[in-house]
Amino acid sequence: MPETIDAIDRRILRALQRNGRMSNVELANAVGLSPSPCLRRVRLLEEKGVIDQYVAILNGPKLGLGLTVFARIWFKTQDAETTNQFAETVRKYPEVAECYLTTGECDAIMRIVTTDLHAYWRFQSDHLMRIPSVQSVKTDVPMETIKASRELPV
């Protein structure tokens, strides 16, 4: 069941999504509250799990991780044991930034981040294709990032 949040909570969430490091005083000013009630609201949002975590968004290319690919995965079978084994395995790979089980044409889709195309090829052949449940992998290489956001539309 979704948490009930009011307009002020939404303003707080939008502001924190843009800048999770802003001080409570800055946040309070941005949303039109005094610092004490603002902090109470933030803490309540944290306690309810609406605010899941605070993270730093890193610049991949500046860290030598300039290639993002999307891999579509097909399983040999689609039983619970297969999907659980697949999920357990891919969680261990730091190159896999995101992974979703899907309906439709493929069984899973991943966003994978590596240094370059050769590094991805090695990752695919040395790791992805060796997962017992994987039948095939098709990779899409984006040519340009149009939008990349972690913000939710609150």
Side-chain angles (χ1 to χ4, degrees):
M1 178 106 179
E3 289 294 329
T4 303
I5 57 174
D6 64 15
I8 295 171
D9 288 340
R10 289 181 190 286
R11 288 198 308 261
I12 289 170
L13 294 171
R14 283 192 295 270
L16 287 175
Q17 283 189 115
R18 286 189 299 275
N19 180 2
R21 290 188 61 175
M22 68 174 32
S23 72
N24 183 58
V25 172
E26 293 171 316
L27 179 59
N29 288 334
V31 300
L33 290 175
S34 60
S36 186
C38 182
L39 184 58
R40 268 196 306 276
R41 283 177 174 265
V42 170
R43 294 242 166 94
L44 188 58
L45 290 166
E46 291 169 345
E47 288 169 13
K48 289 180 176 180
V50 174
I51 296 175
D52 190 38
Q53 61 182 316
Y54 297 91
V55 299
I57 307 297
L58 305 180
N59 184 316
K62 290 187 177 184
L63 294 168
L65 297 167
L67 181 69
T68 296
V69 300
F70 296 94
R72 292 175 288 140
I73 312 294
W74 283 262
F75 298 152
K76 292 177 182 171
T77 62
Q78 296 182 348
D79 56 79
E81 183 180 336
T82 297
T83 56
N84 291 338
Q85 181 268 334
F86 172 80
E88 184 179 315
T89 302
V90 298
R91 284 185 186 111
K92 297 174 187 174
Y93 300 139
E95 296 88 348
V96 178
E98 296 177 72
C99 181
Y100 303 93
L101 295 177
T102 61
T103 61
E105 186 181 336
C106 62
D107 297 308
I109 189 165
M110 301 178 180
R111 181 172 67 91
I112 300 169
V113 179
T114 64
T115 56
D116 56 29
L117 197 53
H118 181 75
Y120 170 69
W121 175 74
R122 297 289 337 148
F123 176 75
Q124 180 182 334
S125 60
D126 292 347
H127 298 289
L128 290 183
M129 291 307 298
R130 293 184 185 206
I131 299 172
S133 57
V134 171
Q135 177 178 332
S136 66
V137 176
K138 300 224 174 167
T139 304
D140 295 310
V141 180
M143 296 178 2
E144 181 179 352
T145 301
I146 303 297
K147 180 178 179 181
S149 175
R150 301 295 296 167
E151 292 184 29
L152 296 177
V154 293

